[in-house]
Amino acid sequence: MTQPSFNAAGAVDLGALAARKAAASAPRSPYVLDVTEADFQTQVIDRSMSVPVVIDFWATWCGPCRTLSPILERLADADAGRWVLAKIDSDAEQRLAAAFGVQSIPAVFAVVAGQPVPLFQGALPQPEVRAYLDELLRVAAENGVTGRFTADAVPGDQEGQPAAVAPGGSEGLPGAGQGEPVDAAAEALERGDLDAAAEAYRARLAASPTDAEATVGIARVDLVRRTRGVDAPVVREQAAAVPTEVGTALLVADLDVLGGHVEDAFARLVELVRVTSGAERNLVRTRLVELFDVVGPDDPRVAKARLALANALF
């Protein structure tokens, strides 16, 4: 990564300080997002299924970045949600920069339907940036990505973030570690009625789309339903014989999470994303994200797997 040429001991980069102050005080467009490794999967990969996401790798010390970023932000405003600008600080998020192969900044990429699209490098004038964006929108439309982002939109048509759960996958049953049952969903779980529990959780989400516990509950109910009645030794033997058979691999990953082997499940599906394509790849990616919901976003294994997934997709 290119570093600032002036770094004498004790020197203060007043330009960088001014840039930070300006960034903090300027009103932020609803179409511009600050993205980190922790929310990259949700804000970039998941969101790109419905609307193109343009990624601006920048840093506070980078003079050309201070020229390009306002251009991108103005064009994001002008296009009013036809695409979203994701700003990534390349110094703070070095692993994301490495995943994209960023050698110098500013560097601009896009993600469309989960797939990376290199755009350009350097501080181009606005007409040239506009031309790149027009071509991106054309490519996105050809791939069926024609949504429009609104200020209250949530990636993947899911509101909010799932609540954190205990990291032990053996506690993966719905409601584990979530306290005493307080509603119809929890009561249904006590009776072992998974269908009624799922219906109750969905009713809660319909009434309150940001109900994180209900989001986690649905993910866990679905996991248990998928693994009910499965002959685990037979399925594992089949997966060992043909590791790339998607249906079997997904089921083994479910069994692994349910049995507490979370890292094994994540590694299996990340590798499957790496070697598949098209509809199969999207199916595997979707299941992996569902298992992230089951385990919980604050679990360090989820953060590690999200980065591995990004690397596999790119």
Side-chain angles (χ1 to χ4, degrees):
M1 187 71 63
T2 304
Q3 295 294 326
S5 57
F6 179 70
N7 59 357
V12 176
D13 186 347
L14 297 180
L17 290 177
R20 289 191 190 99
K21 182 177 180 181
S25 59
R28 173 54 60 91
S29 163
Y31 311 114
V32 179
L33 310 171
D34 290 311
V35 174
T36 67
E37 182 181 325
D39 59 7
F40 181 84
Q41 173 69 41
T42 301
Q43 297 287 29
V44 176
I45 300 298
D46 292 351
R47 193 182 298 281
S48 75
M49 298 302 164
S50 58
V51 62
V53 179
V54 174
I55 302 175
D56 173 21
F57 282 100
W58 67 286
T60 54
W61 49 262
C62 169
C65 298
R66 293 196 288 273
T67 299
L68 178 64
S69 288
I71 292 174
L72 288 169
E73 293 177 18
R74 282 197 301 271
L75 293 174
D77 272 335
D79 284 350
R82 295 179 66 200
W83 55 278
V84 178
L85 177 61
K87 297 177 65 64
I88 299 180
D89 184 332
S90 59
D91 284 345
E93 304 296 334
Q94 293 184 15
R95 293 200 294 183
L96 285 179
F100 278 85
V102 173
Q103 298 298 317
S104 63
I105 54 174
V108 181
F109 297 80
V111 180
V112 177
Q115 302 302 310
V117 181
L119 293 184
F120 60 88
Q121 200 165 295
L124 300 184
Q126 183 163 322
E128 292 185 35
V129 176
R130 176 74 268 172
Y132 274 103
L133 293 173
D134 288 343
E135 179 64 13
L136 170 66
L137 291 171
R138 184 189 66 78
V139 170
E142 289 179 353
N143 286 272
V145 179
T146 57
R148 185 176 289 269
F149 175 79
T150 58
D152 58 350
V154 176
D157 294 326
Q158 293 182 359
E159 298 284 342
Q161 296 295 323
V165 297
S170 59
E171 288 81 40
L173 293 173
Q178 297 295 317
E180 294 300 318
V182 295
D183 59 16
E187 291 171 359
L189 291 174
E190 284 195 332
R191 301 192 306 270
D193 190 341
L194 296 181
D195 291 340
E199 183 178 350
Y201 279 132
R202 290 192 175 93
R204 282 174 51 174
L205 280 177
S208 177
T210 58
D211 187 335
E213 184 180 347
T215 300
V216 173
I218 289 173
R220 291 176 165 186
V221 167
D222 287 344
L223 172 64
V224 176
R225 286 200 294 198
R226 290 195 301 264
T227 54
R228 262 192 170 178
V230 170
D231 189 331
V234 170
V235 171
R236 291 186 183 281
E237 185 177 342
Q238 292 171 343
V242 188
T244 57
E245 204 290 307
V246 170
T248 306
L250 294 179
L251 192 50
V252 171
D254 285 343
L255 291 169
D256 281 344
V257 170
L258 200 62
H261 306 291
V262 172
E263 290 176 320
D264 291 344
F266 289 171
R268 179 185 299 274
L269 296 191
V270 166
E271 180 58 27
L272 202 54
V273 166
R274 200 183 308 278
V275 301
T276 53
S277 61
E280 281 193 334
R281 186 187 223 195
N282 192 51
L283 179 64
V284 177
R285 184 199 66 80
T286 300
R287 176 62 56 82
L288 184 53
V289 172
E290 290 172 354
L291 294 180
F292 290 163
D293 283 349
V294 171
V295 177
D298 292 338
D299 190 297
R301 294 169 296 186
V302 171
K304 181 180 177 182
R306 286 191 189 279
L307 180 61
L309 174 59
N311 284 326
L313 287 168
F314 303 140

